[in-house]
Amino acid sequence: MDAQDQNWDDYRLFLAIAQTGTLSGAARLLGVTHSTVFRRLGSFEDRLGVRLFERLPSGYALTAAGEAMQQTATRIDDEIAAIRRQVTGQDQRLSGQVRITATDMLAIGLLPPHLAAFRAAWPGIDLELLVSDMRLDLTRREADVALRLGNPVQETLVGRRVGRLAFAIYASAARHRAGIAEDLAHNDWIGFGSGHAPLRQVLADWLPGLRPQFRTNSISAAVAAARAGIGLAPLPCAIADPDPNLLRVVPFPGDFRLDLWLLTHEDLRQTARIRAFVDFIAEALAAQAGLLEGRRPRNGKPAGA
C-alpha cells in the first residue's frame, strides 16, 4: 500500500469495529450505514493484503495482525485528539460549533429551553446535541461538553456540579383519581433496566415486593408511559412536576439525590465558545435549583404535599 492509498478514516473505522465488536456498532459510532462499514472494511483489508478481523457468529474479533495495528492506531488516534484539543483550546472566537452530549432524560426534559436561550444570547455559536446513554469520550472529542449524572471519573475532565436531581413517585391524573393502593407495591409500576441502577436499588430497598409490569431503559419513555396511565413511575421532579398530566404520589424516602455535572476536557476550558456555553448553562440550572431539588410549589404548597 503506497502513501496515497493511506486514509486515516480507514483507521478510525478499524478502531470503531475493534471497540464495538460489530459492524452495526461501528456504524452507529461513526454515523454511517452498516453497508458502508462492511464495504470500507473489505476495501481496507484488500489494500493492506491482510485480514484484520475474524468474522465470528458473536461478532468481529481481532486477528494477530489486527491486534498489532490496534496498538499503533490507538496511540496515533490519541495524539491526533490531543493536537485537536490543544488547537481548539486556543480559539477565542465566540463562533463555531459546540457539541453537547446528554442522556435522553436531560436532553429532552431539561435542556431545550436553556439551549434556546443560549442561541438567542450567542447567535454566532452553533449547537449540536448528541443524545446517548453511552458516555461519549470527551478526550477523543466525541463531544465538547457533557451534562451527566454522577461524579466525573476521568482525571482529564474539568467541570462543576450544577444541581442535584430529586426524584418522587408519579402517576397520571386519571390513575390518581381512580385511586392509589395504600400498599404502593400492589399498584401497577413502571420500572427500569440495569442502566438506572441507583433508582432500582432505592426502590428495591424501599419496596422489596415491587414487581414492575412495564420496563424501559429510557426516563423519557417512562414519563410518557406514566402520562398514559400505565402505572406509577419513579421520575425526576424537575421533569415530572411541570407536567400537568402527572401528579406526585409520594417523595422518595430519605434524601436521595443524583448530582448533575457539567463537564469538558481540561484542554478546552479556555475555548471562548465552550466557556460561554458552560457558564451560561451553569447559571441557568442554578436558577432552577428549586425545581431540580423537588421544591417547586403547587397551589401554594410544596409539590406532593
Side-chain angles (χ1 to χ4, degrees):
M1 183 177 67
D2 58 36
Q4 69 179 4
D5 289 328
Q6 298 181 28
N7 184 338
W8 183 246
D9 285 342
D10 291 329
Y11 292 92
R12 290 182 63 244
L13 178 134
F14 161 77
L15 289 173
I17 300 172
Q19 177 183 338
T20 62
T22 65
L23 298 187
S24 57
R28 287 192 297 271
L29 196 61
L30 298 172
V32 297
T33 64
H34 180 283
S35 60
T36 296
V37 175
F38 177 80
R39 174 178 50 79
R40 285 179 50 193
L41 174 61
S43 177
F44 187 38
E45 289 180 325
D46 287 345
R47 293 200 307 276
L48 291 173
V50 67
R51 183 64 65 92
L52 298 173
F53 295 95
E54 296 290 352
R55 280 66 167 171
L56 304 175
S58 58
Y60 277 50
L62 288 166
T63 63
E67 290 177 355
M69 176 179 285
Q70 183 183 32
Q71 296 178 12
T72 301
T74 298
R75 176 178 55 78
I76 296 172
D77 194 44
D78 288 342
E79 292 175 355
I80 291 174
I83 292 170
R84 288 173 175 168
R85 291 195 310 271
Q86 291 163 8
V87 171
T88 303
Q90 305 302 314
D91 192 347
Q92 296 303 305
R93 298 172 300 163
L94 285 168
S95 61
Q97 185 183 67
V98 176
R99 304 175 79 222
I100 310 107
T101 178
T103 65
D104 73 326
M105 171 183 74
L106 302 174
I108 297 171
L110 193 63
L111 274 178
H114 303 313
L115 299 181
F118 178 82
R119 283 285 301 136
W122 303 101
I125 300 177
D126 299 329
L127 301 178
E128 180 178 358
L129 181 58
L130 306 171
V131 182
S132 176
D133 287 333
M134 296 176 58
R135 293 205 166 196
L136 300 188
D137 193 342
L138 302 190
T139 299
R140 295 182 180 276
R141 294 295 306 281
E142 292 178 353
D144 300 315
V145 179
L147 185 63
R148 289 178 179 165
L149 294 175
N151 295 337
V153 294
Q154 288 179 267
E155 293 181 357
T156 55
L157 300 185
V158 294
R160 65 189 83 172
R161 192 179 74 176
V162 293
R164 302 189 72 212
L165 281 185
F167 286 73
I169 306 303
Y170 290 86
S172 68
R175 178 173 282 273
H176 201 281
R177 286 193 300 270
I180 304 295
E182 186 174 350
D183 184 342
L184 290 178
H186 288 170
N187 292 278
D188 289 338
W189 277 84
I190 297 164
F192 297 102
S194 59
H196 299 279
L199 285 178
R200 293 182 63 183
Q201 188 60 54
V202 169
L203 290 172
D205 293 342
W206 180 24
L207 302 169
L210 179 63
R211 296 292 181 270
Q213 288 74 42
F214 177 89
R215 293 182 183 273
T216 177
N217 65 345
S218 163
I219 294 285
S220 296
V223 170
R227 191 186 297 128
I230 290 177
L232 307 187
L235 300 173
C237 301
I239 295 172
D241 277 340
D243 192 322
N245 296 307
L246 293 175
L247 292 175
R248 198 188 287 196
V249 176
V250 63
F252 266 39
D255 188 33
F256 178 79
R257 301 283 190 278
L258 292 179
D259 290 338
L260 191 60
W261 284 80
L262 196 59
L263 304 167
T264 189
H265 193 278
E266 60 184 0
D267 291 343
L268 301 179
R269 59 181 166 182
Q270 296 305 321
T271 304
R273 64 181 180 272
I274 293 174
R275 188 173 66 248
F277 179 82
V278 168
D279 289 345
F280 185 96
I281 297 300
E283 183 177 344
L285 292 175
Q288 283 192 307
L291 178 63
L292 297 177
E293 296 173 9
R295 296 183 278 107
R296 181 188 175 102
R298 274 188 177 178
N299 301 322
K301 297 181 180 181

